[in-house]
Coordinates of all heavy atoms in Angstrom, one line a residue:
C171 N 89.0 94.8 96.6 CA 87.8 94.3 97.2 C 87.4 93.0 96.4 O 87.5 92.9 95.2 CB 86.7 95.3 97.0 SG 85.1 94.8 97.7
Y173 N 84.3 91.7 96.8 CA 82.8 91.7 96.6 C 82.5 92.0 95.1 O 83.3 92.4 94.4 CB 82.2 92.7 97.5 CG 82.2 92.4 99.0 CD1 83.0 91.3 99.5 CD2 81.3 93.0 99.9 CE1 82.9 91.0 100.8 CE2 81.3 92.7 101.2 CZ 82.1 91.7 101.7 OH 82.1 91.3 103.0
T174 N 81.2 91.8 94.8 CA 80.8 92.0 93.4 C 79.6 92.8 93.3 O 78.6 92.5 92.6 CB 80.5 90.6 92.7 OG1 79.6 89.9 93.5 CG2 81.8 89.8 92.6
C175 N 79.5 93.9 94.1 CA 78.3 94.8 94.0 C 78.1 95.2 92.5 O 79.0 95.5 91.8 CB 78.5 96.0 94.9 SG 78.9 95.6 96.6
F177 N 77.0 97.6 90.9 CA 77.2 99.0 90.4 C 78.6 99.4 90.4 O 79.0 100.5 89.9 CB 76.3 100.0 91.2 CG 76.6 99.9 92.7 CD1 77.7 100.5 93.2 CD2 75.8 99.1 93.5 CE1 78.0 100.4 94.6 CE2 76.1 99.0 94.9 CZ 77.2 99.6 95.4
C178 N 79.5 98.6 90.9 CA 80.8 99.1 91.3 C 82.0 98.6 90.4 O 82.1 97.5 90.0 CB 81.1 98.6 92.7 SG 82.6 99.3 93.4
I180 N 85.2 99.4 91.3 CA 86.4 99.5 92.1 C 87.2 98.2 92.1 O 88.4 98.3 91.9 CB 86.1 100.0 93.6 CG1 85.6 101.4 93.5 CG2 87.3 99.9 94.5 CD1 85.2 102.0 94.9
P181 N 86.6 97.0 92.2 CA 87.4 95.8 92.2 C 88.2 95.7 90.8 O 89.3 95.2 90.8 CB 86.4 94.7 92.3 CG 85.3 95.3 93.0 CD 85.2 96.7 92.5
V215 N 89.6 100.0 100.9 CA 88.5 99.9 100.0 C 87.4 99.2 100.7 O 86.2 99.5 100.7 CB 88.9 99.2 98.7 CG1 87.7 98.9 97.9 CG2 89.9 100.1 97.9
N216 N 87.8 98.1 101.4 CA 86.8 97.3 102.1 C 87.5 96.9 103.5 O 88.0 95.8 103.6 CB 86.4 96.0 101.3 CG 85.2 95.3 102.0 OD1 84.9 95.5 103.1 ND2 84.6 94.4 101.2
E256 N 81.7 97.9 106.0 CA 80.5 97.2 105.5 C 79.7 96.7 106.7 O 80.3 96.1 107.7 CB 80.9 96.1 104.6 CG 81.5 96.5 103.3 CD 80.4 97.1 102.4 OE1 79.4 96.4 102.1 OE2 80.6 98.2 101.9
R295 N 74.4 93.4 97.4 CA 75.0 93.7 98.7 C 74.8 92.4 99.5 O 74.0 91.6 99.3 CB 74.2 94.9 99.3 CG 74.3 96.1 98.5 CD 75.7 96.8 98.4 NE 76.0 97.3 99.7 CZ 77.3 97.7 100.0 NH1 78.3 97.5 99.2 NH2 77.5 98.2 101.2
Ligands
SF4_1 S1 82.0 96.4 98.8 FE1 80.9 96.7 96.9 S2 80.8 98.9 96.6 FE2 82.4 98.6 98.1 S3 84.3 98.5 96.8 FE3 83.6 96.3 97.1 S4 82.3 95.9 95.3 FE4 82.6 98.2 95.4

Side-chain angles (χ1 to χ4, degrees):
C171 183
Y173 286 17
T174 55
C175 303
F177 53 84
C178 184
I180 293 176
V215 171
N216 191 343
E256 290 288 305
R295 302 288 291 165

